[in-house]
Amino acid sequence: MITHPAVRGADSELVSASLTEPEAFAELFDRYSAMLYRYVAKRLGPDHAEDLVGETFLIAFSRRRSYDLTFTDARPWLFGILTKLVSRHHRKEAARYRALLRAPVDSAVESPADRVAAGVSAQAVRADLAGALAALPAKDRDVLLLIAWGDLTYEEVAQALGIPVGTVRSRLNRGRRKVRAALGDTNPMEEE
């Protein structure tokens, strides 16, 4: 068992502790592997998610000496590594969106009425949304999905991708505009 006091601390403390106690790095895996898995499963499907999350942590562990300890939160660093790995699978991601165009909607909603309403709404925009995501330039799609599915802030996306916050804002704006246009300039989540 790890006795280092940083185990319950900031991510940067864990990275630092792992330099002398490699087991401390396991705490980062425990904290973030599920989050990273959900993100990549949405982008590429569950078939690739486990492998890419594992590869992300292997890369992070091997590069932990170069981690900037002034960043207390390692999520952007990990998402940055994962996003680069996902970009190597861009054909698989595009194929996943094409498959979503053809697949039935599966939803876990509570009542039959909710299931019908959610299914109708999702089915109505699914093809357009999948097409819009597939049509986005990879850089814009990365920013949009890191914010939407990765739940990162603008600053965290900038850190993850190694780009200025202003670039994050412009890519996100451009991506949102294109997706909104593909959906007929409507928001399917808002009731009329």
Side-chain angles (χ1 to χ4, degrees), residues 36 39 43 52 55-57 59-60 63 67 73-88 142-143 146 150 152 155-163:
L36 295 171
Y39 173 75
R43 289 198 67 174
L52 288 179
E55 191 174 348
T56 297
F57 280 97
I59 291 169
R63 295 182 183 166
Y67 181 77
D73 184 357
R75 284 179 324 126
W77 178 54
L78 294 169
F79 271 105
I81 294 168
L82 182 59
T83 299
K84 287 176 184 152
L85 292 173
V86 167
S87 71
R88 295 181 190 162
D142 287 343
V143 168
L146 280 169
L152 297 182
E155 293 77 15
E156 291 169 334
V157 171
Q159 181 186 347
L161 299 178
I163 58 176

Side-chain angles (χ1 to χ4, degrees), residues 64-76:
R64 70 191 189 283
R65 291 192 186 286
S66 64
Y67 181 77
D68 184 347
L69 296 173
T70 61
F71 294 109
T72 58
D73 184 357
R75 284 179 324 126

Side-chain angles (χ1 to χ4, degrees), residues 39-156:
Y39 173 75
V40 75
K42 287 178 182 179
R43 289 198 67 174
L44 298 176
D47 296 343
H48 304 288
E50 192 171 320
D51 290 340
L52 288 179
V53 169
E55 191 174 348
T56 297
F57 280 97
L58 286 173
I59 291 169
F61 184 78
S62 70
R63 295 182 183 166
R64 70 191 189 283
R65 291 192 186 286
S66 64
Y67 181 77
D68 184 347
L69 296 173
T70 61
F71 294 109
T72 58
D73 184 357
R75 284 179 324 126
W77 178 54
L78 294 169
F79 271 105
I81 294 168
L82 182 59
T83 299
K84 287 176 184 152
L85 292 173
V86 167
S87 71
R88 295 181 190 162
H89 293 81
H90 67 279
R91 287 190 184 115
K92 292 175 187 165
E93 184 177 27
R96 176 161 171 73
Y97 292 134
R98 286 191 300 275
L100 282 173
L101 290 169
R102 300 181 302 272
V105 176
D106 59 338
S107 59
V109 257
E110 293 154 23
S111 75
D114 287 343
R115 189 171 32 255
V116 170
V120 169
S121 294
Q123 194 62 45
V125 298
R126 181 182 209 142
D128 293 335
L129 180 59
L133 288 173
L136 283 178
K139 292 178 178 183
D140 293 349
R141 184 172 50 242
D142 287 343
V143 168
L144 180 69
L145 296 180
L146 280 169
I147 287 174
W149 291 344
D151 201 27
L152 297 182
T153 65
Y154 292 6
E155 293 77 15
E156 291 169 334

